[in-house]
Amino acid sequence: ELVAEDPKSAEILKPILRGRDIKLYSYDFNDLYLIATFPSLKINIDDYPVVRKYLQSFGRKLHQSGEGFIGENGKKEKTRKKTSNQWFETQDQITYWNNFERIKIIYPNMTKYRPFLLDKNQFYTNQKCFIISGDHLPYLTGLLNSWLFDFAFKEKFPELLGGTLELSKIFFETLSVPRVNEKNKAVTNKIAELVELITEQKLTDSGLDTSEHEIAIDELVYKLYELDEDEIKLIKSSIPS
């Protein structure tokens, strides 16, 4: 509605994914958008009059003074916590906002499964997700979604209530991930190609069965880590039928 009234509003409206929306190689977009008025962007809200009017409809509660006040209904209300930011801005600076605009991997901060998504659509995320930016992201997505990752590395992550794992950055830093080099380039490139193919197919139909490609990635990951037949057999025996 905001964009229909003023197309310029689209400049600061960003599609957002939550932790619950992230799937294996795909996502469920629930038509949620973030008003990206980050202080680090130094936005002039008067340039977006329709968004400004919408935000003003929330009244004094958006102000960042930390003060209490009596609302229109006569009940006690409180503004947002005190900051030096302008009333229409987010509470935090979000100086890393441009990382959301890049190709990246998105994954939930807590999960029972292995849902790593290669995102090329510039989605933003809420605090229930983490993102990884950098080089060789298709290859890394395949590795993280592989059965070997689930089998060999899940013990690196602390288990919470109900078998949920906490996928924080500090635990990822302890993982043994082969760097792309001349020796393994053929394998890592093939993993990347398959991930790109799966991602493209899932964008067309998130429910599409891509298990054939996923199994092929598993086999390539075994090769990447130079596992022998007994080790591969042990890992495959843990795969649910």
Side-chain angles (χ1 to χ4, degrees), residues 1-237:
E1 293 175 5
L2 298 175
V3 174
E5 192 170 345
D6 179 9
K8 187 174 175 60
S9 300
E11 294 177 4
I12 57 172
L13 295 175
K14 307 296 183 178
I16 187 170
L17 294 176
R18 304 162 297 176
R20 74 185 77 170
D21 301 326
I22 309 302
K23 311 298 179 185
L24 187 70
Y25 292 112
S26 65
Y27 57 86
D28 291 330
F29 179 51
N30 283 273
D31 293 322
L32 298 176
Y33 291 82
L34 174 70
I35 300 177
T37 51
F38 310 139
S40 58
L41 291 176
K42 302 185 184 306
I43 287 172
N44 182 353
I45 196 63
D46 292 334
D47 291 338
Y48 306 94
V50 174
V51 175
R52 180 191 62 204
K53 181 181 177 181
Y54 172 70
L55 292 176
Q56 287 174 332
S57 71
F58 291 94
R60 189 176 171 185
K61 66 177 65 175
L62 282 191
H63 290 203
Q64 302 187 46
S65 62
E67 298 174 339
F69 65 97
I70 302 299
E72 294 181 0
N73 56 8
K75 293 184 178 181
K76 291 183 178 180
E77 297 189 48
K78 194 172 183 178
T79 65
R80 291 188 288 171
K81 67 181 181 182
K82 187 175 182 179
T83 72
S84 59
N85 301 336
Q86 299 189 66
W87 68 269
F88 59 87
E89 293 177 326
T90 59
Q91 291 267 277
D92 298 312
Q93 292 292 317
I94 319 294
T95 56
Y96 53 89
W97 64 269
N98 56 342
N99 285 313
F100 291 111
E101 304 278 342
R102 299 171 179 164
I103 297 175
K104 60 188 177 296
I105 298 173
I106 303 177
Y107 61 98
N109 63 342
M110 293 183 290
T111 180
K112 291 184 179 180
Y113 311 104
R114 301 166 287 134
F116 293 88
L117 166 68
L118 180 66
D119 172 44
K120 296 183 178 182
N121 294 317
Q122 300 184 337
F123 277 108
Y124 282 58
T125 71
N126 69 352
Q127 80 280 20
K128 300 299 182 182
C129 295
F130 289 117
I131 64 174
I132 300 174
S133 57
D135 301 322
H136 308 297
L137 294 180
Y139 150 63
L140 186 57
T141 302
L143 178 62
L144 295 175
N145 279 331
S146 71
W147 195 254
L148 176 62
F149 176 81
D150 185 89
F151 177 86
F153 295 139
K154 63 183 178 183
E155 65 182 28
K156 298 283 188 179
F157 302 94
E159 185 172 326
L160 307 176
L161 189 66
T164 300
L165 301 180
E166 181 183 354
L167 304 184
S168 295
K169 174 179 179 288
I170 57 173
F171 306 116
F172 274 95
E173 291 176 338
T174 67
L175 303 183
S176 174
V177 177
R179 292 182 179 274
V180 176
N181 54 44
E182 288 301 320
K183 181 181 177 181
N184 64 26
K185 185 184 293 185
V187 176
T188 56
N189 282 351
K190 186 59 181 178
I191 292 173
E193 288 175 13
L194 288 169
V195 169
E196 295 275 16
L197 179 59
I198 293 172
T199 302
E200 184 178 337
Q201 291 178 339
K202 291 286 190 180
L203 280 176
T204 304
D205 179 1
S206 62
L208 193 67
D209 182 7
T210 58
S211 57
E212 181 179 348
H213 300 319
E214 293 169 35
I215 291 172
I217 290 174
D218 284 339
E219 296 294 336
L220 289 166
V221 171
Y222 300 149
K223 185 176 182 180
L224 186 66
Y225 279 88
E226 300 180 345
L227 303 186
D228 61 33
E229 289 300 320
D230 289 336
E231 290 170 328
I232 295 173
K233 185 176 180 181
L234 175 63
I235 294 167
K236 287 184 176 180
S237 68

